[in-house]
């Protein structure tokens, strides 16, 4: 296996919005940064969202400039398809082993033209589209991916050679091997983001087998301009949905599935999606079944009240069960908490607000303290929320707990400040008495 | 308008011997399969000032880049046009080539022949080739008028003024100092610690607030880079990013010494008695001084919402108090160590009413003499109320607690556990619709207070709950900083909190360049979130001031003083305070002048200038006119 | 890239493919089967569209394939420019074949 | 080499903002969607910099239709979008005075991934100016 040594001031694990923001804030201070991203593109979850609450601006329009700024920054390097496999202390810093998966092509020569993709005969389900759309066995992950470079999914390749014939730069290299790098880093920031709890955790909600029951990230793709269908349709037959139901806390605040905490973003994205659905489908009726609406951030409550005024229906109810009728319409059974009646209602499409869970458990690689909820625990949460139990290792974004985008971005800035201060070696503030203290009057002018 | 043709065709450029090189990329067929590259190169060769026109399979490749570099040297090129993919991919690559070859990188222009020609014109190769030629023509026309530009460098004082000495200000000051910047921390009160000092144990860490703060204040006051001014207020502000000048009035002597542990403890202990508690006396007299700073961070925090008289019975009975008042009683032991009592009245039951002064709705809530209703959620009060309930339960197990809410918003780390714990140990929860807030009445009976509402948790039953104590769970309002807002021209959002530039792109920056915000002056936040915002602001300041100068892209407005008539049209049009202003010139005429530190380069000024004297560098109107002329040329 | 370079690259790729096939012991059986199934379904959908644009439900009724499968194939073909969305028929859109240029 | 628009396809100028509409146009290319070859994109930081005369001059020179593609209210510059919209309104007045069809100048918001909206706008403008040209040729 090819091995390579790289030196960097800070290693950031995760190239989503939190990792990118931390990288930019460190790079702008003059520190060298290496971002290690497990997917084929940076951008994380945010780049694949439709519009974002509460301002309803286009997610890609906000995320792309940060991706481009990081990619073009002379202090920032990016390694995709790469994950750390081992971390060891080395002097004041760390030696991190990173395994980089092959793209099976020379990324420097690929121009992202996608001719290989059009030539490939293998049709597969596209993970980036929430498994709703299609991709080929060789493909550019999505339109605004950075880097704009294809990757070959060797597990599904039938070795026909069509991609190589189509490639204008002959950059395809079928025999590429994984590479191992040793990163010598002064500090580490973990910004590994989120996954959603799997759809099959609750048997009473169909156990993940109901085709017209989706999770929030899939609906983000349906609403995005380049979504898998190009418009909002349901997966069972392509019907334009007339009624859509959201089930809040479907996988949160629930001890029975091991996610007792609030996932913090589901209320707001459900309200946002309801508004976007109403915009995209003028005739649609949207129902939100909820326990508490948690619209707590800046502008959130106002956003919620707007949604109510728009006619989105909020039903205070706990949904007991979801089944399916003969047209594959999901049928909800719930107790309306205001009327006390048990009701049944069929919808064209149902969206489950699945719980937010950490995308990466660091412990096997990096033994930072993790809380009972699986998120990285802060060593001194009230005043220093980004410090972990290991000096020199910081965390940001959803890695430390569910968070919306503004909170993640702010925390990323904080992690950058912590890492920078640590690298400057300024954390050994001794008790200084008045006598030792240099004159510290402010600069006086005039 | 009389049109000066020569201006558009770049006569000015002819003074210099313009030599343009044009390079067309095949992109391995991505462009050349649709666009006839040979024809584009032929046409380009005929364009004015073009001395070299070449093509390459991949212009971005090493051989492609070397070809340009070589030509710049041997053909003495001073402008370069590359027709290839979108500038978003390789504009910086090619600017780098120009730099390496020894010419100014801003003398490069791109023609987008892939994303905007070949990939969108597969069915019309002839039309695509024609379009490519016209776009290359437009790029050449612009290139001829390009001028060398230099990044803007502004002097910057490596000092930051942090306004506000609560948790946010302290955290921010400490981080700035840790990032090797000098800090002046201004606090209007005689003591540090802000509202956090009023609290006892805080969630989620369960640590005493005073311990957390004490440690932080000790570090801040001990740090050699931080100067603390208490009882301080800003009375005048001028300057701009890099060189702000703040005139500050501070009571007593300036703090130049490290706070002693005793002093910190005494200050914090006094804070537990409320905002008007005893405090350390700084001595008589005031001093005024001017502070020069590169940036300012606002950490001015919040005030507790004060209900108006009669709002849920407030001030109509001693048993109706706010949550902060209850917390104060809890901290000072005011409820007693035996069975709870307040001011001699035994307390057997308490009712918490949420969303007092938060989440108010037009047509539902009285304005109660306020100028505006608070439509926003105050974010922290649900958890704070339940946290207080949990502590009450622990101290007084026989106490019956009721909680009246619209939604329970225990969103954060550990918050849901607090909710569950209180529910398990007997708090009774009732829910009211946001259009039907509960009513509080003072009765003659015992207990003396009655809370009436329709309870959504018992199928909208009308219930009357008698209690001994009503706790109004009040939220936050922004701390009054009208003076600062006026002096620094700070934008506020509809909720009257300070408004960031963009909640996601630039969450801790204000539209006024060099002014940052953190903590509850921006929106209600808890201590964890405030601390994060404080550190984020510190990182931003360090990025800008760390080098000792501020560097910006050169695309800002510039005034041609010879053309300027001093009409001030640009000054009136500009939305950025003092980005452009009129100054007296040596000849006594008044002419416009741009402050490159503030100008954002939008060009709003350029459109209203009667003589075209003010233009945005890199995007000048004559360049656009030349491009349009070129688009219309048939080659 | 010169003509010789291209020829060299192609020859290299050919031998690389051969090595790869040896390494993987040929194309895995389940992959071939899955691909065969896809091709078969794809052909059925295309045949059904020969008579003109149809909705996913109409194609499903005609071919006996599950509507979910038909719809996924339509969306895949739409992405790669083989079919185009046509008029809506009630709550369903029709899809028609795109003529090769 | 000749100038002017005699005997060629009508010409459409698209002023596209650097932050939103220009990447939106690129995105349309990335999905290989097709549109008429006579639509020319020119990148601008903010179209607010163009005065009324600029637009009229474009028409005088022979541009047949102009699409001002902005970021809408997501504009990164304070007040620039509203100002641009106001100015386009004034240009419409001036166009009326000169007997120009005001539909030939249109302002719209296009985001970085709005290729559908982008295509719709371009297509509508292409149709409009083609019809106008056909009518003008028929009438002369």
């Amino acid at each position: 296996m090819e091995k390579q040594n790289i030196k960097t001031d800070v290693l950031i694990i995760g190239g989503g919005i939190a990792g990118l923001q931390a990288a930019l804030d460190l790079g702008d201070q003059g520190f060298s940064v290496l971002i290690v991203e497990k997917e084929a593109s940076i951008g994380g979850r945010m780049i694949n969202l439709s519009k974002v609450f509460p301002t309803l601006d286009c997610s890609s329009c906000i995320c792309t400039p940060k991706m481009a700024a990081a990619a073009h920054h002379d202090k920032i390097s990016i390694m995709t398809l790469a994950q750390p496999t081992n971390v060891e202390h080395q002097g004041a810093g760390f030696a991190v082993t990173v395994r980089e998966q092959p793209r099976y092509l020379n990324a420097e020569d690929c121009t992202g033209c996608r001719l290989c993709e059009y030539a490939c005969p293998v049709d597969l389900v596209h993970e980036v589209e929430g498994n709703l759309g299609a991709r080929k066995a060789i493909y550019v992950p999505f339109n605004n991916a950075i880097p704009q470079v294809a990757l070959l999914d060797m597990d599904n390749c039938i070795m026909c050679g069509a991609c190589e014939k189509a490639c204008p730069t002959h950059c395809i290299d079928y025999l590429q091997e994984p590479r191992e790098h040793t990163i010598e880093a002064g500090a580490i920031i973990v910004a590994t983001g989120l996954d959603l709890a799997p759809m099959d955790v609750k048997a009473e909600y169909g156990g993940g087998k109901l085709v017209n029951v989706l999770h929030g990230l899939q609906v983000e793709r349906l609403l995005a301009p380049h979504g898998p269908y190009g418009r909002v349709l349901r997966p069972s037959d392509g019907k334009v949905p007339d009624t859509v139901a959201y089930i809040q806390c479907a996988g949160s605040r629930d001890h029975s599935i091991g996610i007792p905490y609030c996932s913090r973003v589901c209320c707001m994205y459900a309200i946002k999606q309801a508004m976007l659905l109403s915009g995209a489908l003028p005739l649609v009726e949207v129902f939100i079944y909820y326990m508490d609406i948690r619209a707590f951030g800046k502008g959130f409550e106002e956003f919620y009240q707007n949604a109510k005024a728009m006619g989105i229906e909020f039903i205070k109810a706990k949904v007991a069960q979801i089944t399916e009728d003969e047209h594959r319409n999901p049928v909800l059974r719930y107790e309306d908490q205001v009327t006390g009646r048990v009701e049944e209602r069929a919808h064209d499409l149902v969206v489950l607000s699945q719980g937010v869970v950490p995308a990466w458990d660091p412990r096997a690689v990096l033994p930072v303290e993790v809380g009972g909820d699986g998120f990285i625990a802060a060593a001194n949460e009230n005043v220093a929320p980004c410090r972990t139990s290991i000096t020199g290792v910081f965390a940001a974004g959803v890695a430390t707990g569910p968070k919306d985008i503004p909170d993640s971005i702010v925390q990323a800035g904080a992690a950058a400040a912590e890492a920078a201060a640590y690298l400057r070696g300024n954390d050994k503030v001794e008790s200084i008495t008045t006598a030792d203290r240099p004159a510290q009057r402010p600069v006086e002018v005039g | 308008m009389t049109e000066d043709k020569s201006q558009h065709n770049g006569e000015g450029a002819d003074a210099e011997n313009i030599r343009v090189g044009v390079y067309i990329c095949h992109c391995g067929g991505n462009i050349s399969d649709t666009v006839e590259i040979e024809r584009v190169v032929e046409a380009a060769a005929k364009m004015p000032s073009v001395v070299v026109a070449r093509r390459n399979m991949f212009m971005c490749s090493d051989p492609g880049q070397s070809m340009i570099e070589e030509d710049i040297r041997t053909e003495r090129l001073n402008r370069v046009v590359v027709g290839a993919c979108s500038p978003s991919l390789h504009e910086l690559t090619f600017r780098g080539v120009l730099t390496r070859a020894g010419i100014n990188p801003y003398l490069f222009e791109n023609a987008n022949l892939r994303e905007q020609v070949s990939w969108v014109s597969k069915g019309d190769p002839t039309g695509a080739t024609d379009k490519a030629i016209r776009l290359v023509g437009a790029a050449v026309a612009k290139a001829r008028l390009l001028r060398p530009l230099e990044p803007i460098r502004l002097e910057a004082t490596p000092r930051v003024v942090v306004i506000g000495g609560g948790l946010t200000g302290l955290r921010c000051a400490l981080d700035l100092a840790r990032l090797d910047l000098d800090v002046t921390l201004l606090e209007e009160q005689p003591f540090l610690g802000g509202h956090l000092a009023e609290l006892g144990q805080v969630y989620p860490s369960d640590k005493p607030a005073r311990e957390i703060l004490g440690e932080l204040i000790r570090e801040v006051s001990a740090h050699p880079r931080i100067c603390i001014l208490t009882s301080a207020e800003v009375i005048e502000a001028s300057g701009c990013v890099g060189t702000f000048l703040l005139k500050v009035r501070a009571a007593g002597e300036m703090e130049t010494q490290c706070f002693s542990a005793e002093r910190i403890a005494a200050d914090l202990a006094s804070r537990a008695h409320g905002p008007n508690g005893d405090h350390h006396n700084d001595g008589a007299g005031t001093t005024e001084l001017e502070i020069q700073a590169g940036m300012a961070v606002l950490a001015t925090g919040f005030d507790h919402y004060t209900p108006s008289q009669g709002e849920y019975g407030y001030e109509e009975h001693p048993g109706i108090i706010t949550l902060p008042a209850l917390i104060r009683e809890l901290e000072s032991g005011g409820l007693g160590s035996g069975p709870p009592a307040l001011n001699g009245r035994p307390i057997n039951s308490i009712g918490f009413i949420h969303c007092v002064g938060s989440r108010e709705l037009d047509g539902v809530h009285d304005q109660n003499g306020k100028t505006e209703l608070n439509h926003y959620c105050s974010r922290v009060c649900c958890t704070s109320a339940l946290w207080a309930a949990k502590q009450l339960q622990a101290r007084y197990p026989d106490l019956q607690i009721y909680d009246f809410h619209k939604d329970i918003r225990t969103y954060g780390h550990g918050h849901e556990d607090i909710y569950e714990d209180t529910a398990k140990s007997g708090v009774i929860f009732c829910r009211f619709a946001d259009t039907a807030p509960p009513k509080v009445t003072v009765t003659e009976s015992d207990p003396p207070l009655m809370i009436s509402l329709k309870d959504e948790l018992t199928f909208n039953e009308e219930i009357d709950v008698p209690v001994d104590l009503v706790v109004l769970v009040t939220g936050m309002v922004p701390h009054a900083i009208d003076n600062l807002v006026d002096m620094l021209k700070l934008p506020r959002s509809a909720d009257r909190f300070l408004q960031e530039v963009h909640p996601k792109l630039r969450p801790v920056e204000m539209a006024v360049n060099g002014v940052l915000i953190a903590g509850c002056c921006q929106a209600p936040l808890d201590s964890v979130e405030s601390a994060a915002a404080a550190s984020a602001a510190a990182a931003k300041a360090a990025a800008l001031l760390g080098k000792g100068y501020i560097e910006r892209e050169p695309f800002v407005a510039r005034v041609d003083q010879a053309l300027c008539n001093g009409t001030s049209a640009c000054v009136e049009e500009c939305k950025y305070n003092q980005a452009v202003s009129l100054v007296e010139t040596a000849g006594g005429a008044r002419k416009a002048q741009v402050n490159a530190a503030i100008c954002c380069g939008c060009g709003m000024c350029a459109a209203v200038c009667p003589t075209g004297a003010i233009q945005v560098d890199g995007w000048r109107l004559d360049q656009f006119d030349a491009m349009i002329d070129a688009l219309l040329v048939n080659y | 890239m010169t003509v010789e370079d291209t020829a060299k690259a192609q020859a290299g790729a050919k031998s690389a493919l051969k090595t790869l096939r040896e390494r993987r012991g040929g194309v895995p059986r389940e992959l071939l089967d899955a691909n065969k199934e896809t091709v078969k379904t794809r052909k059925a959908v295309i045949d059904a569209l020969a008579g003109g644009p149809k909705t996913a439900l109409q194609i499903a009724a005609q071919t006996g394939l599950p509507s979910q499968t038909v719809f996924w194939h339509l969306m895949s073909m739409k992405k790669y420019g083989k079919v185009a969305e046509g008029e809506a028929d009630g709550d369903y859109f029709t899809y028609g074949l795109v003529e090769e240029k | 080499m000749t100038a002017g628009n005699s005997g060629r396809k009508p010409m459409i100028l698209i002023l596209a903002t650097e932050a939103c509409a220009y990447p939106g146009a690129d995105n349309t290319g990335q999905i290989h969607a097709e549109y008429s070859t006579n639509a020319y994109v020119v990148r601008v930081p903010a179209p607010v910099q163009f005065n009324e005369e600029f637009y009229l001059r474009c028409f005088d020179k022979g541009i047949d239709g102009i699409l001002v593609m902005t970021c809408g209210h997501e504009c990164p510059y304070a007040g620039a979008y509203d100002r641009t919209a106001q100015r386009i309104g004034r240009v419409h007045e001036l166009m009326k005075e000169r007997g120009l069809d005001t539909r030939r100048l249109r302002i719209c918001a296009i985001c970085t991934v709005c290729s559908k909206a982008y295509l719709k706008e371009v297509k509508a403008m292409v149709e409009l100016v083609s019809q106008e040209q056909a009518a003008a040729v028929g009438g002369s």
Side-chain angles (χ1 to χ4, degrees), chain A residues 212 229 231-241, chain C residues 56-57 67-68 71 75 91-93 95:
Chain A
N212 289 322
Y229 309 153
R231 59 172 71 246
V232 182
L233 303 171
R234 68 176 192 176
S236 72
D237 53 9
K239 186 187 185 207
V240 178
Chain C
L57 277 182
S67 59
Q68 186 187 350
F71 183 58
M75 291 305 106
D91 282 337
Y92 296 86
F93 281 86
Y95 301 90

Side-chain angles (χ1 to χ4, degrees), chain A residues 57-58 60-61 113-114 143-144 225-226 230, chain D residues 27 30-32 74 111-116:
Chain A
D57 35 23
C58 142
S60 156
C61 299
C113 71
R114 300 173 65 201
N143 278 331
N144 32 18
H226 289 304
Chain D
N27 206 276
Q30 281 163 353
I31 61 163
H32 296 214
E74 286 158 34
C111 78
T112 54
V113 286
C114 281
S115 42
K116 224 195 250 176

Side-chain angles (χ1 to χ4, degrees), chain A residues 35-325:
Chain A
I35 300 175
V36 171
E37 165 58 51
K38 76 173 189 309
E39 300 295 335
S41 168
I42 53 171
R45 293 291 178 190
M46 185 176 172
I47 189 62
N48 293 312
L49 303 182
S50 57
K51 294 186 175 185
V52 284
F53 59 79
T55 41
L56 283 188
D57 35 23
C58 142
S59 188
S60 156
C61 299
I62 297 164
C63 198
T64 318
K66 299 245 187 209
M67 291 161 70
H72 291 147
H73 203 293
D74 58 358
K75 301 299 281 185
I76 301 174
S77 317
I78 294 166
M79 193 186 288
T80 51
L81 292 176
Q83 279 184 286
T85 55
N86 186 49
V87 180
E88 274 167 33
H89 273 289
Q90 181 182 290
F94 303 89
V96 183
T97 312
V98 169
R99 194 178 167 87
E100 185 189 5
Q101 294 302 326
R103 279 179 187 262
Y104 300 101
L105 47 81
N106 296 315
E108 298 75 29
D109 294 338
C110 175
T111 65
C113 71
R114 300 173 65 201
L115 291 175
C116 54
E117 188 175 342
Y118 280 80
C120 175
V122 184
D123 281 276
L124 298 161
V125 160
H126 199 347
E127 300 84 350
V128 170
E129 300 290 5
N131 291 343
L132 297 174
R135 65 164 170 86
K136 299 298 186 74
I138 187 164
Y139 62 111
V140 175
F142 48 90
N143 278 331
N144 32 18
I146 290 182
Q148 263 299 304
V149 170
L151 74 151
L152 173 61
D153 168 6
M154 190 54 89
D155 289 345
N156 286 299
C157 175
I158 58 167
M159 299 179 276
C160 68
C163 48
E164 156 58 24
K165 284 198 193 80
C167 177
T169 66
H170 300 289
C171 70
I172 294 175
D173 177 0
Y174 295 111
L175 301 177
Q176 242 172 26
E177 297 276 344
R179 292 202 288 178
E180 203 157 87
H181 309 273
T182 303
I183 317 288
E184 294 172 35
I188 297 175
I189 294 178
V190 183
T192 42
L194 68 118
D195 263 339
L196 293 184
M199 291 289 274
D200 57 11
V201 290
K202 275 175 93 97
E204 58 271 41
Y205 288 174
K209 295 202 173 62
L210 308 180
V211 59
N212 289 322
V213 175
L214 302 178
H215 59 68
L217 288 173
Q218 291 177 305
V219 181
E220 288 297 324
R221 294 310 302 153
L222 291 186
L223 287 163
H226 289 304
Y229 309 153
R231 59 172 71 246
V232 182
L233 303 171
R234 68 176 192 176
S236 72
D237 53 9
K239 186 187 185 207
V240 178
D242 296 325
T243 71
V244 180
Y246 280 82
I247 301 180
Q248 298 313 102
C249 303
S252 294
R253 302 177 66 189
D254 187 344
H255 284 277
S256 75
I257 56 167
I259 305 177
Y261 52 86
C262 167
S263 289
R264 208 159 150 156
V265 289
C266 334
C267 282
M268 290 307 292
Y269 77 62
I271 296 171
K272 173 204 75 180
Q273 291 184 355
M275 289 171 105
L276 296 177
L277 284 169
S278 302
L281 313 168
L283 301 176
V284 78
E285 286 183 280
V286 188
F287 302 85
I288 297 182
Y289 298 84
Y290 73 101
M291 303 210 288
D292 299 279
I293 290 295
R294 295 189 164 167
F296 54 81
K298 182 162 179 158
F300 291 10
E301 176 68 20
E302 294 87 332
F303 190 75
Y304 166 42
Q305 295 300 338
N306 279 347
K308 283 211 268 190
M310 271 175 74
I312 311 293
E313 266 205 62
F314 289 84
I315 300 168
K316 167 86 183 154
K318 187 82 189 141
V319 175
Q321 199 182 35
I322 310 174
T323 50
E324 202 174 60
D325 69 12

Side-chain angles (χ1 to χ4, degrees), chain C residues 35-85:
Chain C
N35 210 44
K36 220 191 239 163
E37 192 61 37
T38 308
V39 170
K40 211 172 104 195
T41 311
R42 182 64 51 93
K43 189 173 178 307
V45 173
I46 291 172
D47 288 348
L49 287 175
K54 288 188 177 62
T55 68
L57 277 182
Q58 288 162 346
I59 299 168
Q62 189 176 332
T63 58
L65 291 164
S67 59
Q68 186 187 350
T69 311
V70 170
F71 183 58
W72 185 81
H73 278 274
L74 286 172
M75 291 305 106
S76 171
M77 288 193 281
K78 183 167 159 254
K79 175 173 177 181
Y80 293 103
K82 309 284 186 203
V83 306
E85 185 183 277

Side-chain angles (χ1 to χ4, degrees), chain A residues 269-444:
Chain A
Y269 77 62
I271 296 171
K272 173 204 75 180
Q273 291 184 355
M275 289 171 105
L276 296 177
L277 284 169
S278 302
L281 313 168
L283 301 176
V284 78
E285 286 183 280
V286 188
F287 302 85
I288 297 182
Y289 298 84
Y290 73 101
M291 303 210 288
D292 299 279
I293 290 295
R294 295 189 164 167
F296 54 81
K298 182 162 179 158
F300 291 10
E301 176 68 20
E302 294 87 332
F303 190 75
Y304 166 42
Q305 295 300 338
N306 279 347
K308 283 211 268 190
M310 271 175 74
I312 311 293
E313 266 205 62
F314 289 84
I315 300 168
K316 167 86 183 154
K318 187 82 189 141
V319 175
Q321 199 182 35
I322 310 174
T323 50
E324 202 174 60
D325 69 12
E326 70 277 18
H327 301 294
R328 310 210 71 174
N329 299 315
V331 181
L332 309 187
R333 190 179 168 81
Y334 62 95
E335 185 190 55
D336 188 314
Q337 299 221 340
V338 178
T339 63
R341 281 197 294 273
V342 173
E343 315 250 11
E344 274 201 2
R345 179 149 41 185
H347 297 278
D348 288 331
L349 196 64
V350 165
V351 188
L352 299 185
S353 287
Q354 290 302 94
V356 167
V357 297
W360 188 54
D361 182 348
R363 283 169 295 189
V365 175
L366 180 61
V368 287
E369 200 184 309
V370 165
D373 52 12
F375 294 98
I376 293 174
N380 187 3
E381 191 168 1
N382 286 90
V383 286
C386 299
R387 281 182 216 162
T388 70
S389 59
I390 301 177
T391 309
V393 178
F394 307 94
V398 179
T400 65
K403 245 169 234 82
D404 59 27
I405 297 165
D407 287 351
S408 296
I409 289 177
V410 165
Q411 210 193 24
E418 292 280 14
Y422 175 75
L423 289 170
R424 284 169 182 269
N426 287 346
D427 280 350
K428 289 165 236 83
V429 180
E430 304 300 330
S431 181
I432 299 166
T433 63
T434 312
D436 303 335
R437 215 177 142 82
Q440 268 306 311
R441 302 175 76 84
V443 180
E444 288 186 53

Side-chain angles (χ1 to χ4, degrees), chain B residues 559 561 564 570-571 578-583 591-595 614:
Chain B
V559 179
Q561 298 244 322
C564 178
C570 51
V571 180
Q578 293 180 337
V580 55
S581 52
L582 286 192
V583 291
K591 307 260 178 186
Q593 192 182 54
V594 173
N595 183 338
I614 190 163

Side-chain angles (χ1 to χ4, degrees), chain B residues 260-275:
Chain B
S260 67
E262 294 75 28
R263 155 89 192 262
I264 295 168
D267 272 355
L268 289 174
S270 77
R271 296 287 286 142
H273 296 112

